[in-house]
Amino acid sequence: EEVELILAVADQLAIAIQQSILLLQLQAELTERQQIETALQQKQYFLHRILETTPDIIYVYDLVEQRNIYINRQIWEILGY
């Protein structure tokens, strides 16, 4: 009976240890993902600032969809509409 109790406790401890390992892995993955998302947002903001402050017209046209995907504000200032 005592051996069975010890084995049951050992099984529960093994499960708890495995769950804590998985939790630590999940936390590390979430932290890495947040860092990657922050870096991506910074790069997107940097690119956006360049595209919006350049004196040139910049636009992206999707040939398949046949529509403009991006137009910077210079097109409105230069073309007047």
Side-chain angles (χ1 to χ4, degrees):
E1 184 177 304
E2 191 174 315
V3 173
E4 290 176 10
L5 178 61
I6 292 172
L7 289 175
V9 170
D11 286 344
Q12 293 300 316
L13 285 173
I15 292 169
I17 290 170
Q18 184 61 31
Q19 288 177 341
S20 64
I21 290 170
L22 291 173
L23 179 61
L24 290 173
Q25 290 172 341
L26 178 61
Q27 289 173 334
E29 290 175 13
L30 287 174
T31 299
E32 180 183 8
R33 182 182 177 122
Q34 288 171 340
Q35 291 171 344
I36 291 169
E37 288 176 354
T38 298
L40 178 59
Q41 288 173 350
Q42 290 172 345
K43 289 180 183 192
Q44 287 175 332
Y45 178 74
F46 178 71
L47 181 59
H48 174 76
R49 296 296 298 148
I50 291 172
L51 292 172
E52 289 301 315
T53 58
T54 184
D56 300 317
I57 292 176
I58 297 176
Y59 67 95
V60 179
Y61 185 78
D62 185 328
L63 294 173
V64 174
E65 301 266 333
Q66 297 186 349
R67 65 182 183 93
N68 289 321
I69 296 173
Y70 176 82
I71 300 173
N72 71 343
R73 79 171 96 161
Q74 284 304 103
I75 198 165
W76 308 112
E77 292 178 17
I78 291 173
L79 298 179
Y81 58 87

